[in-house]
Every structure is written in structure tokens, then in C-alpha cells.
Amino acid sequence: MPEMTYRDALNLALKEEMRRDPSIVVWGEDVALYEGSFKVSRGLLAEFGEERVLDTPISENTIIGVAVGAAMGGLRPVAELMTVNFALLAMDQIIDHMTKIRYMFGGQVNLPMVIRAPGGGGSQLAAQHSQSLETYFMHAPGMRVAYPATPADAKGLLKTAIRDNNPVMFLEHELLYNSKGEVPDDPESLVPFGKCDVKRSGTDITIVAYARMTILALQAAEELAKENISCEVVDLRTLAPLDAETFVASVKKTGRAVVVEECWKTCGLGGEIATRIYDGCFDSLRAPVRRVSGLDVPMPYSRKLEKLCIPQVADIVAVVKETMAAKY
Amino acid sequence: MPEEIIGSCAVKRLNILDPQGNADENLLPPLNGQDIRRLYELLVLSRTFDGRALALQREGRLGTYPSILGQEAAQVGSAFALEKSDWVFPSFREMGMHITLGYPMHLLYQYWAGDERGLATPTGLNILPICVAVGTHIPHAVGAAMAASYRGDRNAVVCYFGDGATSKGDFHEGLNMAGVFRAPVVFICQNNQWAISVPFDRQTAAPSLAQKAWGYGFEGIQVDGNDIFAVYRATRTALEKARNGGGPTFIECHTYRIADHTTADDASRYRPPEEVADWREKDPILRLRRFMTQRHLWDEAYERHVQEEATAAVDEAVHRAESAPKPAATEIFDYTNAELSPRQQRQRKEVG
């Protein structure tokens, strides 16, 4: 398998799918001539032309709204929001229309559309440009949310998202774009939605994570292994649908769980995952489920303060050790 | 350097048929006697449908209902100009459009009675479900038009909304996008002067809505919305332009909401009765009847026949709507996604 970056894996997924299906169009701010603010749409305009790769005015709500209309009209639009933060401007179209239209139309139309949105913190982009809004989307029935951690998952999940007949919120972590990994070059190699990936096997404790937090969890597991703590790292890959079966089975085996989430702790997805664990295997638990989360403050601009607000490897290591030491 | 004028906006208004039923012969659209009688029958049917809806709501047989009284010409006249293949994105006060395009009236009654199956558009009709949220379907219409143009379809897209919607971001963003991409879409605004209790001059400081199109780089026109010939002519012209690659058009139908905003409203608390009385004089059905009388297309016997037919059709629709079998509660899950999540599947079992 060739090695490539998360960015190039996403780019290849777009190209392969657009070559396969002429109904796929890419619309958004700076996606064509500028090739995307994170260069994920590099080469698309040159290969597919401005009929299919379209720079739009700065109107996030309407970028999503026209994609909804185009999806109803038989296209498979991939709309790019320059960052997930701008999804807040489009929440009415996303929540009230994109996720409800199939229901309100009695199943008469499918909405095969994808919203790609880079997000997450760690680049010193401060309060309004560093947010982790994943739980906002997970909350809405009808929404599918993918958030890959590795280049291989990025490619496989994006291809699945584009072929899906449901609307998909496809989140990408800005700090992962340059990360490298092996990626299958078979254009038919897809990663299914609703299936966690056990990224590391272990016996003492389960760490449930997603996106960049999976990478940090793997680093923490490596350090903890030196202290003879064997961590199993479960990567959610899609936040909706949520594959509780896999992480519950893991916790049944290990008896302990820590959830790592980049988003704010209050109403964060860690609460949902902890509940699923309690519902699914309360009797197997040897300690309460703990959460490592973003602090409940707007993201500070200062590099040091920003680090304080986002879960770090050391935080995960500390909470895992505390969970291991807990006596009940 | 002196200041110079770099652009100016002329706002056009089209009137063909005056309240006394006199028409401008040069502007009359090419409609024969049969077409004109058909238009009249659709206006009467729409008003009969509407009156019955209000009565049913008062009897508790329908939910909250927005009357179309006084706006029938804006709806029937515009819809009559459409081709079967054109797509329509309606708001919630366009039942005259539905009836004109042959949407089954029993489905409309079912919908307004709270049965969402009434929005299941029969095959062959390209009418999207009613958008109750104000103006949020404008971007959808633009997107559908962009899709049509990408695929090389020759159909146009029509989007209906009211004067209140023109204050929404969706309107400004949507029209801007339509202008930029020259989308084959016709925006039909029924300016009925009132958004619930808020009058036109609180939606905009501009003297017309039509002129807003100028700012988005395409043509806007105001028509007398109670003049069915003006509405028909303007819509037909705009549709032809859209189909021939000429881009979007904005049509402001200047009309009036004679009734309350909905059955949950009492407009007499905020509107002067003289204003309503003035607009009753400009009634769209009355003026078409006057025109038809002059042309020997209308007499008492014809009127009786039209009224009887409309009443019978409405009776039949009410009967069909009220005898529809009840849906299963589990249907609330069935259309949320093409595939249900594991949790939705469990919840569906619990409900069923």
C-alpha cells in the first residue's frame, strides 16, 4: 500500500469518486481556483472543470441550501465549509432541512450529499476558529457524522460518505492533514459507517477516542505499556451511527474505560459513550468511566493556554493511571 | 474628477386587467376563451377549497390553516404558465398553485389536518413539499436549478414565498447565488402586504420588492397580483427566459391578504377595516368575471355550473381525506434515514 498524507488521501477519494460518477460536484468557498483552504481539492478544477468544481459566494447557509436543492435534483454534491466553525451559520439548513427533508417528504427523496468541514483546535486560531462541534451534529436524528483519525480511514470513509444516500457531515481534523499512513489504492476499498476500529489491542483498560484524540490515545497507550498497563484503543471513526457494540464488547473484556474527546465536556459525546457503556456492561465495570475532555472555555489564542484546553497525551496517561488505581 | 452615475434601476410594473374588468388589448396574453374559462374555474375552485378549509378548521376537523383569500390570481395565474416538467418549491400559502397543477385536494386537506402523508406528491408532479419555515426553501430552489442546468435539463424552477421572506438571509444569499450562477429559476413573491402583524414598510425601506433583483444582477418586475393576465404573462416570459439560458427573474405579485394570517390570528386587532374593504374592491375573481361578461364568456347559468362543480369536487376531497386509513406509529422512524441507526431500530420496536 502506498503511503500518503491524510490530505492526499481525502483528495484521492474525491478524485476517484468524481471519475466514477459524473453526478458528483464540489461546491464551496475557495474550492476551485485556490484548491481549498487546506488544499484538499487540489487538482479538481483542472481535471473536472468549473462545471463540477465551483467557487461560491461567502454564504455558508446557502452553500448548504443549494447543495440540499441539488441533491433533491439528482446530483451528489460535496459541499465544503471552509471550517466547521462556519457550520454555525448554516445550522438552519443543516439541522432543519438537510437532516429532516427525507422524513418530511415521506421518503420520496434521498439526500445524497456530503458536507466536508475541517475543524478542531491546536493551530492558535483562537475562540471562533478552533472549535470541536461534533456533538452538535450527532444530536440531530437523521445525521451521519464521520471523523477519521488516519489517512486510510479518511479515504475509505469519504468514499462511503459520497456513495451514501443519506446526508453526511464529514469532519476533518486540521492538525491531521499532514499526518502520513498507508492507504489502500484499490478504488473499491471502502470503510463502512457505524463500525469502530480497534486500533490497538489490550487487556487492562479501553480508551475510546476519535479523530486526533485517537492518535493521542495511541501515543498514551505506548507510554503506558512501558508501565505494564495494557490499553485497548477503540477509534469510533463514525460518531453517527455510533457503534456501541464494539466499544461495549471491549469494556466487557477490560473492565475499565476512559473516553477522550476534544470537544467541550458539558454535553460532550463522552457523556453519551459513558452512558452506552453503563447500559451495555455495568456489571463488567471495575471502575467508573472517566472522561478526558476539552475545558469548558472558549479557545484561548495563546499557544500555552490553548494546550491547556485541549486533551494532551499526559492527561490521558494520568486519567488511565487513576482509573487503574481506583479501588471499588 | 466629477461624480458619475454608474448604474440606475428602473422598476417596471405590469397591469393588464383593471378592477372594472377592462384589459389592455396590447398586453393580453395569447389565451383563448377556453383557457380563460379554465382560469376562472380554477380561481373559483381555489376559493371554494379555501372557504371549506376555514369551516373545517372551526369545526376542529383541520389544524391551523393559512387562508389564500384574495391571492388566488397570483397563484393560479403563475401556475398556469408552468410546464409539467418545471419544478415548484412552494411556501405554505399557495394552495391555488397546487390546485392549478392538479395536486389532489384531498391530500392538501390531509396535510392541513396534520397527516404528513398529504405531502407525498403524486408521480408526475414536480411540486416539492410545502415549506412552512420562512424563505428557507429559496436556496433549495436555486440548487435544484443549478442541478438542472448542470445536467442540461430544459426545465425551470419556480420558488414561491411572501413579502416577509424577503427579509431573511436565505432570500439575499439565495438570490445572490442565483444571479452569480445564472440559475434557471423564477422567484415569485406574493407581496400580500402583511407578515402576520408586520406591515410591508417594516420589512423594507424600499418602495418595491421588485427592485431588489437589480442588486443581484437580474431582472425584477412588479405585477398587479390580482390581475391574472399580468401574473400569467410575467411568469411565462420569465420561464421562457430561464429555459433559454437567460438566468433568474424576480416577480413581485402586489396583492393583499384579505383573511387573517392563519386561523390562529385575528387581523382585526392590527389592521384598519378600510384597508381590507379597499382591497376587496380589487378582488381577482370579480374582475375576471367582469372581463368575461364583456366578452360573453360568463353568464348566470355558467356561474351556477362552476360553483356546483367546485362544491362537488371539494365535498369529494374532504370525504377522501377524512376516510384515509390511520398510519402506523412506527412510520415516524421509517423516513428519517435511508437506513436506521441501531438505536433508532430499537426505539422503533419499542413504539411498535
Side-chain angles (χ1 to χ4, degrees):
Chain A
M1 284 195 288
E3 190 176 74
M4 64 178 75
T5 61
Y6 188 90
R7 169 187 294 109
D8 290 342
L10 291 164
N11 178 259
L12 185 57
L14 286 168
K15 283 180 177 163
E16 285 178 1
E17 291 306 298
M18 290 180 81
R19 284 170 195 151
R20 191 184 54 79
D21 182 351
S23 69
I24 299 166
V25 294
V26 171
W27 293 349
E29 295 159 6
D30 289 304
V31 295
L33 212 55
Y34 193 69
E35 303 185 312
S37 28
F38 294 93
K39 305 296 170 202
V40 173
S41 48
R42 184 176 285 153
L44 296 190
L45 177 64
E47 182 171 347
F48 302 104
E50 55 187 21
E51 287 247 278
R52 296 179 68 187
V53 186
L54 211 54
D55 282 327
T56 63
I58 305 177
S59 307
E60 286 81 6
N61 193 49
T62 289
I63 291 169
I64 305 309
V66 296
V68 167
M72 286 194 271
L75 299 189
R76 302 184 88 89
V78 179
E80 178 178 306
L81 290 172
M82 188 177 275
T83 82
V84 76
N85 306 284
F86 309 154
L88 295 173
L89 288 149
M91 281 308 250
D92 182 58
Q93 285 296 340
I94 294 173
I95 306 292
D96 234 13
H97 299 278
M98 186 179 86
T99 64
K100 290 181 186 162
I101 275 176
R102 188 176 193 279
Y103 168 81
M104 291 169 66
F105 291 16
Q108 280 192 309
V109 291
N110 284 324
L111 279 187
M113 60 178 284
V114 179
I115 301 177
R116 286 188 41 248
S123 308
Q124 273 201 283
L125 294 172
Q128 295 164 325
H129 290 78
S130 305
Q131 300 178 96
S132 296
L133 303 175
E134 44 274 17
T135 47
Y136 285 48
F137 309 115
M138 289 172 70
H139 191 54
M143 186 78 87
R144 290 156 92 78
V145 185
Y147 205 171
T150 64
D153 286 344
K155 184 182 175 208
L157 287 170
L158 183 54
K159 289 169 74 81
T160 304
I162 291 171
R163 296 185 191 191
D164 199 319
N165 281 331
N166 301 290
V168 175
M169 194 77 202
F170 195 91
L171 304 174
E172 300 164 8
H173 202 290
E174 293 169 18
L175 290 190
L176 293 178
Y177 280 128
N178 289 328
S179 66
K180 281 189 175 171
E182 289 195 333
V183 175
D185 48 7
D186 174 9
E188 288 309 307
S189 171
L190 306 184
V191 173
F193 273 37
K195 287 275 171 255
C196 294
D197 185 37
V198 179
K199 290 262 191 294
R200 180 187 175 110
S201 295
T203 51
D204 296 329
I205 187 164
T206 301
I207 307 177
V208 183
Y210 62 95
R212 179 165 173 264
M213 294 299 108
T214 297
I215 307 303
L216 301 194
L218 287 167
Q219 290 167 13
E222 199 62 38
E223 282 191 27
L224 288 157
K226 292 175 197 152
E227 301 182 39
N228 289 323
I229 297 172
S230 166
C231 301
E232 180 146 302
V233 178
V234 179
D235 177 16
L236 295 171
R237 297 202 292 197
T238 58
L239 311 182
L242 192 60
D243 172 21
E245 208 176 299
T246 299
F247 62 74
V248 166
S250 170
V251 180
K252 266 186 187 159
K253 182 179 77 176
T254 61
R256 295 180 181 89
V258 169
V259 187
V260 192
E261 55 191 339
E262 184 167 336
C263 59
W264 293 306
K265 189 162 198 170
T266 301
C267 297
L269 67 100
E272 176 69 33
I273 288 163
T275 304
R276 303 273 186 133
I277 293 171
Y278 289 129
D279 281 350
C281 60
F282 186 77
D283 292 340
S284 311
L285 282 172
R286 299 161 73 182
V289 179
R290 293 282 304 274
R291 294 166 65 191
V292 184
S293 318
L295 298 187
D296 283 346
V297 292
M299 193 65 78
Y301 193 174
S302 143
R303 185 176 294 283
K304 281 185 180 166
L305 293 174
E306 183 184 43
K307 252 186 140 174
L308 192 70
C309 294
I310 300 172
Q312 305 293 322
V313 174
D315 302 322
I316 304 171
V317 167
V319 173
V320 167
K321 283 185 180 172
E322 284 168 26
T323 308
M324 290 304 297
K327 295 270 182 282
Y328 289 92
Chain B
M1 297 288 276
E3 284 181 356
E4 53 181 332
I5 305 293
I6 59 160
S8 62
C9 161
V11 192
K12 212 194 282 179
R13 178 178 164 111
L14 181 64
N15 309 283
I16 299 175
L17 184 65
D18 74 14
Q20 282 67 50
N22 305 308
D24 182 328
E25 295 292 338
N26 296 324
L27 291 172
L28 261 181
L31 295 165
N32 61 29
Q34 206 183 343
D35 294 332
I36 292 167
R37 280 192 153 185
R38 182 73 193 131
L39 284 173
Y40 184 75
E41 288 154 20
L42 287 164
L43 290 172
V44 171
L45 184 58
S46 301
R47 186 163 289 183
T48 309
F49 169 90
D50 191 66
R52 183 68 61 86
L54 291 168
L56 290 171
Q57 192 278 335
R58 284 179 194 125
E59 290 170 23
R61 292 157 71 185
L62 225 61
T64 303
Y65 174 80
S67 173
I68 62 168
L69 185 64
Q71 298 177 220
E72 296 89 347
Q75 303 177 8
V76 172
S78 55
F80 201 73
L82 292 172
E83 300 285 339
K84 270 265 181 212
S85 56
D86 294 330
W87 283 48
V88 184
F89 287 73
S91 83
F92 57 85
R93 202 191 300 282
E94 275 98 27
M95 280 67 79
M97 171 280 291
H98 285 97
I99 289 167
T100 303
L101 294 178
Y103 196 93
M105 287 191 294
H106 71 272
L107 290 179
L108 293 173
Y109 282 131
Q110 249 176 284
Y111 173 69
W112 289 112
D115 183 345
E116 291 175 88
R117 292 176 302 178
L119 288 188
T121 309
T123 315
L125 284 179
N126 293 330
I127 305 176
L128 276 292
I130 289 169
C131 181
V132 173
V134 176
T136 55
H137 59 314
I138 295 172
H140 305 164
V142 176
M146 287 166 71
S149 131
Y150 168 65
R151 287 198 313 225
D153 298 347
R154 258 187 59 84
N155 59 305
V157 175
V158 170
C159 185
Y160 286 93
F161 47 87
D163 43 307
T166 65
S167 301
K168 292 285 297 279
D170 302 82
F171 170 84
H172 296 285
E173 290 190 4
L175 266 70
N176 186 50
M177 196 88 81
V180 167
F181 296 117
R182 291 178 72 79
V185 55
V186 178
F187 301 104
I188 299 181
C189 177
Q190 293 186 69
N191 175 5
N192 69 10
Q193 322 277 335
W194 290 90
I196 309 186
S197 69
V198 180
F200 176 74
D201 62 12
R202 278 294 171 95
Q203 300 298 342
T204 181
S208 80
L209 293 171
Q211 70 198 74
K212 289 177 187 278
W214 189 82
Y216 304 115
F218 56 89
E219 194 189 350
I221 181 171
Q222 187 183 78
V223 302
D224 179 342
N226 288 7
D227 166 356
I228 197 159
F229 295 137
V231 174
Y232 173 81
R233 187 188 170 100
T235 311
R236 216 178 110 132
T237 307
L239 284 167
E240 274 165 22
K241 183 177 100 180
R243 276 194 275 271
N244 292 318
T249 306
F250 178 69
I251 301 172
E252 174 189 5
C253 298
H254 190 242
T255 180
Y256 193 78
R257 192 192 82 207
I258 297 286
D260 300 326
H261 167 64
T262 66
T263 49
D265 173 40
D266 173 9
S268 69
R269 290 180 305 148
Y270 53 80
R271 280 197 316 201
E274 312 81 61
E275 184 182 291
V276 183
D278 268 5
W279 277 92
R280 280 190 183 277
E281 289 302 308
K282 301 174 192 165
D283 186 81
I285 299 186
L286 193 60
R287 75 170 76 171
L288 184 61
R289 188 187 302 156
R290 285 171 177 158
F291 170 84
M292 289 166 72
T293 310
Q294 289 176 20
R295 312 248 163 164
H296 309 293
L297 289 167
W298 183 92
D299 59 26
E300 292 290 348
Y302 170 71
E303 179 69 19
R304 264 197 310 278
H305 171 73
V306 172
Q307 294 288 351
E308 278 165 16
E309 292 268 296
T311 305
V314 164
D315 286 345
E316 166 64 17
V318 173
H319 175 73
R320 271 191 81 177
E322 294 191 331
S323 49
K326 286 188 168 54
T330 49
E331 280 188 27
I332 56 175
F333 287 97
D334 290 350
Y335 309 119
T336 49
N337 258 332
E339 303 85 26
L340 296 183
S341 73
R343 179 174 268 180
Q344 284 175 318
Q345 286 169 24
R346 279 196 299 279
Q347 289 178 350
R348 189 181 186 280
K349 260 191 205 138
E350 283 163 24
V351 167

